[in-house]
Amino acid sequence: MSFAGKPQSIKAAVDLTGRGEADYVVTLVANLSSMPNGIAWNGGSLFIASLDPYKSCTLYRLDNVDTFALGKKAASLADLAVVRDDLPFDFWHGWKFIRFGPDGNLYVPIGADCNACRLDGSPPNNGTVDGELVYSVANSGNTSHVTAPYTKGPGSPVWQFGSIYRMARDGSSIAQVASGVRNTVGFDWHPDTGKLYFTDNGRDNWDLTDPNVTDNRPDCELNVATEEGSHFGFPFCHTGPAGGDVNFRPYLRLPGVGPQLVDPDLNANETAMTCNGPALSFKPAIQAMGPHTAPLGMRFYRWSPGANFPQAYDRSILLAQHGSWNRQRPIGARVMRVTLDSTDPTRIANFTPFLSGGVPGDKGAITGPDPPIQPNTAYNGRPVDVEQLPDGSLLVSDDAPSTGAVYRVSYHEPVTCRSTTAAAGRKLQEDEHEDDDGMNMTLYPSTIPGTANGCAVNLGSSGVQRYRRCVRSEVPAGSGRFVQLATSFVTVGSQRILRGALVLPDFACLDSANGWVGFGLPAEQGGGDMTGARVFITRPAPGTPTGASATDYKLAGTSVAYFQPTSGFLLPGSLKAYQSGHALVTTFDIILPAPFQPRSPPSPRPRPRPPPRRGTRKLLQAAPSTLSFLFAMGDVNAVGAMMRHWVTARVFIPYTAADLDATVDPDTPVLNRGAGPKGLPPASPPPPAGAVSPPPPPAPPLPTCQPSEPCCLNGVKYDACQTTTNAGFSYSQFYAVSGGALRVGIKAITAGWIAWAFNGGNQGHMLGADAFFARPCASGCPTGASTVAFNLATYSINTFTAPADISFTPTGSGSASGTLSASFTLPWPSATNTIKINYGGGPYSGGSPTGADGMGVHSVFPPTACVSNAGGTASMPAAC
């Protein structure tokens, strides 16, 4: 990663284990210059652009760079090969972002050596104009100044300021690619068209007499070079925002651009260049990036199967805005996501914040920070560059003085969070038996994508552990909460062991002491009775070295009094718990039941063999064998005592003979990449002695039905249902009332989005309503669909916010054969027994599973329907 404002050395962050966290940082080249900045890796070599202002600017090449990084040694100047030493060495915009293109050439920008000035002075005169140095600060800040192209001397190339150049890997074959570019510090090539896209920083000091005029003029830019040699308008024409009003939404511009702004100092009355009209001599930008936001590094996201981010991010541009330096109120300091038009990649479909908060109070809103930022406020962070890692996660560099860090940004499926409430359960008293509350299910986990050859689990400071089989299940379906199980079937001495790690990503939504998980063996394989089971229970333990704790028990009965120590369940010392990589992790060596152990040696004297016991399986055979486990999750209360479970499950894992002592590929993906927890809250007090309760027995399944039965959706029976085409396509609604909650199911024959909405303040009207949406999801969504809820503050998706009045709880979703469905619950939302809702849908072009991007305008104006609650039974009256 390159850092703006980090002088003197080039450093490498080395992740040896694939955890997603640097194992160490090593200096590759020390004291190279006062401003080494641009770096590019190519063919095992590191290319470095190194600037000493007003002295020199040199391109270096360090061969075999990995040997220096892995050997933890710094290169000397003797190790560096000079590629070119004759580039302009100005301070103004002299730092050089460099990158290799798909053609194998090295691309190098030459920024304008001024804020705003003419660049067409002649002839090249070795760095002086009218007898004064071109590079003097006085000249660079003077808009009447004329810059001449620069050459070091005879035999050296002539460099035009405000340009992008390319050259061969050895520094030869120099060619100008673009001109009229004030200062680009980031570019990339479209993965399909191969066209060059680049950022450009707009000029400052538009009106020195009125900072309010200067603050929102002009916009920084995103450009695309569709033709080599194009001019991009600087210094005469500058980008204006879509809509033409520079004071409208400066913090988040609309997609696209508006009329060009005519430079007031260098192009009054458009005497030098025509800025608007049908036939222009320059190429306008494709996106106005906001005034003074200082866009720097940018990358196209290149999606492939197994990538960390969903396929909806494919071909999106992720772009770092460094933030303004002299605007009255800071702006920028975000990473933005630019979505291109799928039919014309030179047009912008969407322009949205991806990462915000660099400006204090900024949460990505179109109105900027809340509360409004005050002048001269220090930044929380200043993004510089974006890189994509091989697993599809991202690196973002930040050179704010208070941080100076590289962050790894990864994608996690949306998680339906839980909170400890009276309804979630109560502490189990010593003499009481468990009841049947909670949710019971049977899990048949599927292989985690990309782990066919195994996976690794990040154990924080303990390194990584690799496993042969890696599976996961969503608990419950549609919640986005995944339970991952990584296992190897190994022989230890004469025993067969299941060596494994139970991994709960984003456990209980936050790394904090608000939940527990139980896992273990039932008394009989395939059984679901907790009596006789041997389990371990893991909980977060903030403040401890590993951030978590685990204890094993034998459940001799269904009350706490019968919780007993266990033996013969785990290898001694194997049970350990961690919080690492945003996950709660438990590692274990479970001694497998007798049917899975090697057979005893045959007796020297033959004797009759008893009939096989029920459930006995021979493991070493070609057909798969199956291991069954018990699993449960629950909450804890404010004093740390365990509350009742909210889910229990039987888990079935198949195995074959080939799994025994199988070799694990050393180059396997890490499930929970990232650092361990930092700044955790204080540990909760330990539960009182004897207060720890086991996971209760399974609860009865939810009411089921056959698809042919009336009002049956995805196997769940509803009280009332209705199917119409009022929304412009076949749309079905399903309703039931249970325990003061409204249960809703929606299903439609569509390739677009569908929604259900209720407006408590103005029933039957969309504006101001809280709405639940379902959309098809091609990748990263196990059910093939994604769900999200918003408050519709206006009709624009850019203004959607979190629901204001309704707490939606998703319970399922799916998409298959052109049919989209979803189900959810919400507290009955009205003081009356009948409500009026809106429903409908529209086209969907794909987008973030957690955002509103990609949703087009509804097909028809959303129709209404009536839902009644009569004595705990739902109905759909014709009028309300």
Side-chain angles (χ1 to χ4, degrees), residues 693-712:
S693 60
L702 295 173
T704 60
C705 55
Q706 298 298 318
S708 59
E709 296 181 46
C711 298
C712 182

Side-chain angles (χ1 to χ4, degrees), residues 97 362 388 404 445 647 711:
F97 175 94
D362 180 20
Q388 182 177 336
V647 64
C711 298

Side-chain angles (χ1 to χ4, degrees), residues 40 45 48 84 172 310 332 427 464 728 768 879:
S45 300
I48 304 168
R84 296 215 69 95
S172 64
K427 186 175 68 176
V464 299

